Amino acid sequence: MQQADYSSATVFVPGHITGFFSAQTAATCAQAGSRGAGIALTDGVEVTVTPGSGLQLNGEEIEMLPVGDVCTRLGVDAAVDATTSLPLGAGFGVSGALALGTALAANAVFDCGKSENELITMAHCAEVEAGTGLGDVVAQARGGLPIRIDPGSPSHGRVDGVAARPRIEYISFGEVSTETVLAGDTDDLTRAGESALSHLLERPTLSRFMTASREFADDAGLVTEEVATAIDAVAKADGDSGDDIDSSAAMAMLGNTVFATGTGLSAAGYDAQQCRVDAGGARLCDS
Amino acid sequence: MQQADYSSATVFVPGHITGFFSAQTAATCAQAGSRGAGIALTDGVEVTVTPGSGLQLNGEEIEMLPVGDVCTRLGVDAAVDATTSLPLGAGFGVSGALALGTALAANAVFDCGKSENELITMAHCAEVEAGTGLGDVVAQARGGLPIRIDPGSPSHGRVDGVAARPRIEYISFGEVSTETVLAGDTDDLTRAGESALSHLLERPTLSRFMTASREFADDAGLVTEEVATAIDAVAKADGDSGDDIDSSAAMAMLGNTVFATGTGLSAAGYDAQQCRVDAGGARLCDS
C-alpha cells in the first residue's frame, strides 16, 4: 500500500459529449474502446482525493465500479469526493470523469509516480471493463473537440481534433443506460459510427461534426421524440434568425440530451445550460 | 488562394521551456524533431491573424521564416500580429509559438478545414526546416509537462506527460542561438539527452524531471556561469528554508535562462518572473 505524500489533491475533468461513435473490441482493455468524436466542456467534475475510503458525488454516497477499480490498480485506499453540475447517465461522461479524476488525484496524494498516459490508461480500462463508457476518458484527458481515430488508451489510440472553440448549449430530458445500449446489438450503431467518422475526416470542421452527429443519431435509431423536436426547433430558429451565428443541434451519446453550437437552444426557446469548449483536458488544480 | 471566412482570429500558445532533449533526424520533417521533456507555461504568445501580410511582434515588424512558411503551406495571405512578455531567443519557444499560433488562427480566418494534427504538423515542419526548433511546437500544442518519447508531429511522434502542475519561476540572462547549437556537433548533446530521458521514464515525476534536466545541462556542456550560479543559489536557499515546498532549478534549452519550481528563484534573491504550468496547450481564444 502506498503512503500518502500530500493530504489531498483536486482534479478538474471536463464533461464530454459524444456526437457519434462505433464500439471497438480488442484483446486488451487498453486497445479496446471506440472511434468517434465529441466535445469536452468547461462544465465538468471536480474530484478531490484524500486518504480514506468511499465515493461521494454532490454530497451523496454512491457506488461506481470504475472508481474503486482505479484505486485497486494504483494500490491505494482513497476517499473520493466529487462535485458536478452535470446530470448523471445523460451522456456527459460523468463516470469517466470520476475514474480519470480519481486516477490523477490519487497519483498526486499517494506519490505513485505514474505518467499521465499510465493514469489515463488505468481509468480507460476501468471504464471499458465496467461497461460504463468506451471513449470518454481518452477524450476528457485531451480536451477540445477530440476525434478518436483509433480506439484505446494513449499508448495505442490515435486522436486528432477539430480546430474550433464554439460556445455550447445543452439540455437533458433524462437518462439513457449506456450499459444497456452497449450490451445490445451494436451492428447498426457501428456502421453508422464508421460512416460518420469518414464523413468528418474528409473535412474536420465544426459544421461537419454537427452534421455527422445528426446523421449518426438518425442512422443508429437512437433519437427520442424530445430530442427530435429540439433539433428541429434549433434548425428552424437558426433559419429564422438571419444573423451570422451558425447554430445547429445534435444528440449527446448516450443520453436523452441535445447539445447545440452558438445560441441554438436558447434562441429556440429552451432553458438550456451554456458553457464553452474546454481546451485543457483533465488537470490537477493549482495548489 | 483561400477566401477569408472570419475577419480575424486570435490564438494563445503557451511558452515552452525544454529541460533536456536529443536531436532526431528522419527522412521527412514530420518524422524528424527531438525526444525530450519540458514545461508549457501560462506565460505565452497571443497571435492574431487577419487577411493581409507581414509579421509584427510586440508592435515591431520582424522576419521569422517559419511563419511565412506556414502561410505558404496553407495557401493564405495573412497579416500576423503577436504579443508576448517572453524574451526572444532565450529558450521559451517563441518562434514555435508564432508558427503554431499562425497555423491555428489562419485556419479559422480562412476556413481552411484542417484538423488540429494537420496544423501542428505544418508548424512543426516549418520550425524543423528553418532550424529554429525541434520539439517546441508539439509540446506547445499539448500543454502540461510533455515528455516527447518519439520525435515528430502528432501523426508520428508519441507524447506522454509528467502528472504535476507546479508553480514556475524563471529568469533570463540573455540569448543563445538555437540555430548555432543545432548546426554544431550534437553527439554529446544527443547522448546526454537520451540518458536524461531514460532517467525520467523510470519514474516520471517532477523532481526526477528537474534532476534529469540539470544532469543534461552539465553533461552537454551548455551551462553558462550565470546559470550555474543561479542553480546553486536555488539549491542553497531550498536547503536553508526548512519548509515543505521543494524547490529546485535547471537551465532552459536553448537559452541563457534558469527556471525553478515553487519559489526557488525568488527565495534565492532573484527578481524572477512567476507563472504556472499551462494545462491546455495552444488554443483559439473565445470569440
Side-chain angles (χ1 to χ4, degrees):
Chain A
M1 193 64 57
Q2 299 273 354
Q3 293 300 303
D5 193 50
Y6 298 92
S7 54
S8 81
T10 299
V11 169
F12 172 79
V13 185
H16 179 245
I17 285 175
T18 298
F20 62 83
F21 73 100
S22 60
Q24 306 282 330
T25 53
T28 68
C29 59
Q31 293 167 292
S34 60
R35 308 172 77 198
I39 306 180
L41 306 177
T42 50
D43 285 357
V45 184
E46 276 207 358
V47 182
T48 299
V49 165
T50 51
S53 65
L55 167 61
Q56 290 210 334
L57 182 63
N58 294 336
E60 288 185 27
E61 290 278 344
I62 63 165
E63 295 275 330
M64 179 88 57
L65 205 56
V67 170
D69 188 9
V70 163
C71 294
T72 305
R73 286 169 196 263
L74 280 173
V76 300
D77 284 333
V80 181
D81 191 353
T83 55
T84 185
S85 62
L86 295 170
L88 261 175
F92 292 95
V94 173
S95 66
L98 289 171
L100 181 56
T102 299
L104 289 163
N107 178 67
V109 170
F110 296 94
D111 195 19
C112 302
K114 302 292 183 192
S115 75
E116 291 185 336
N117 287 359
E118 289 171 327
L119 297 166
I120 298 163
T121 300
M122 282 183 191
H124 173 76
C125 282
E127 269 259 283
V128 167
E129 291 188 350
T132 46
L134 290 173
D136 284 327
V137 166
V138 173
Q140 288 167 317
R142 182 187 185 281
L145 281 85
I147 310 172
R148 287 167 287 110
I149 297 174
D150 290 327
S153 71
S155 38
H156 299 283
R158 204 154 45 99
V159 184
D160 199 345
V162 175
R165 294 291 178 269
R167 177 190 155 117
I168 301 292
E169 294 189 342
Y170 61 85
I171 188 165
S172 184
F173 306 107
E175 295 191 18
V176 168
S177 166
T178 301
E179 292 92 328
T180 306
V181 173
L182 295 183
D185 181 354
T186 55
D187 286 355
D188 280 359
L189 192 149
T190 297
R191 260 192 302 277
E194 292 295 331
S195 163
L197 183 58
S198 301
H199 194 192
L200 176 61
L201 290 177
E202 278 169 17
R203 187 171 167 82
T205 61
L206 178 63
S207 65
R208 186 64 72 95
F209 166 72
M210 296 303 290
T211 310
S213 296
R214 279 196 300 276
E215 287 169 356
F216 170 78
D218 282 337
D219 293 350
L222 292 167
V223 181
T224 63
E225 199 176 314
E226 290 141 317
V227 165
T229 303
I231 291 174
D232 288 348
V234 170
K236 183 167 186 313
D238 186 53
D240 289 350
S241 77
D243 65 17
D244 284 346
I245 303 168
D246 190 28
S247 292
S248 71
M251 179 177 173
M253 299 297 154
L254 291 160
N256 193 1
T257 298
V258 174
F259 66 99
T261 55
T263 53
L265 281 161
S266 52
Y270 284 91
D271 183 19
Q273 300 297 311
Q274 302 170 349
C275 66
R276 309 275 332 189
V277 173
D278 177 72
R283 53 197 175 267
L284 281 166
C285 298
D286 293 343
S287 51
Chain B
M1 195 62 56
Q2 299 273 353
Q3 291 300 301
D5 193 49
Y6 297 91
S7 54
S8 82
T10 299
V11 169
F12 172 79
V13 185
H16 179 247
I17 284 175
T18 297
F20 61 83
F21 73 101
S22 60
Q24 306 282 328
T25 53
T28 69
C29 59
Q31 293 167 292
S34 60
R35 308 172 78 200
I39 305 180
L41 306 177
T42 49
D43 285 357
V45 185
E46 276 207 359
V47 182
T48 298
V49 165
T50 50
S53 64
L55 166 62
Q56 289 211 336
L57 181 63
N58 294 335
E60 287 185 27
E61 290 278 344
I62 63 164
E63 295 276 328
M64 180 90 57
L65 206 56
V67 171
D69 188 9
V70 163
C71 295
T72 304
R73 285 168 196 263
L74 281 172
V76 300
D77 284 333
V80 180
D81 191 352
T83 56
T84 186
S85 63
L86 295 170
L88 260 175
F92 293 94
V94 173
S95 66
L98 290 170
L100 181 56
T102 299
L104 288 163
N107 179 66
V109 170
F110 297 94
D111 195 20
C112 301
K114 301 293 182 191
S115 75
E116 290 185 336
N117 286 0
E118 289 172 326
L119 296 166
I120 298 163
T121 301
M122 280 183 194
H124 173 76
C125 281
E127 270 258 284
V128 167
E129 293 189 350
T132 47
L134 290 173
D136 285 326
V137 166
V138 173
Q140 289 168 317
R142 181 186 185 281
L145 280 84
I147 310 172
R148 287 166 287 110
I149 297 173
D150 290 326
S153 72
S155 40
H156 300 282
R158 203 154 46 98
V159 184
D160 198 345
V162 175
R165 295 289 178 268
R167 176 192 156 115
I168 301 293
E169 294 189 342
Y170 61 85
I171 187 165
S172 185
F173 306 108
E175 297 191 17
V176 169
S177 166
T178 300
E179 292 92 328
T180 305
V181 174
L182 296 183
D185 182 355
T186 56
D187 286 355
D188 280 358
L189 192 149
T190 297
R191 262 192 301 276
E194 293 295 330
S195 163
L197 183 59
S198 302
H199 195 194
L200 176 61
L201 290 177
E202 278 170 20
R203 185 169 167 84
T205 61
L206 179 63
S207 66
R208 186 64 72 95
F209 165 72
M210 296 301 290
T211 310
S213 296
R214 277 195 301 275
E215 288 170 355
F216 170 78
D218 281 337
D219 294 350
L222 293 166
V223 181
T224 63
E225 199 176 314
E226 291 141 317
V227 165
T229 303
I231 291 174
D232 288 348
V234 170
K236 183 166 187 313
D238 186 52
D240 290 348
S241 76
D243 65 16
D244 284 347
I245 302 168
D246 190 30
S247 293
S248 70
M251 180 177 172
M253 300 295 154
L254 291 162
N256 194 1
T257 298
V258 174
F259 67 100
T261 55
T263 52
L265 281 161
S266 52
Y270 283 91
D271 183 20
Q273 300 297 312
Q274 302 170 349
C275 66
R276 309 275 334 187
V277 173
D278 177 72
R283 52 197 177 269
L284 281 165
C285 298
D286 294 343
S287 51

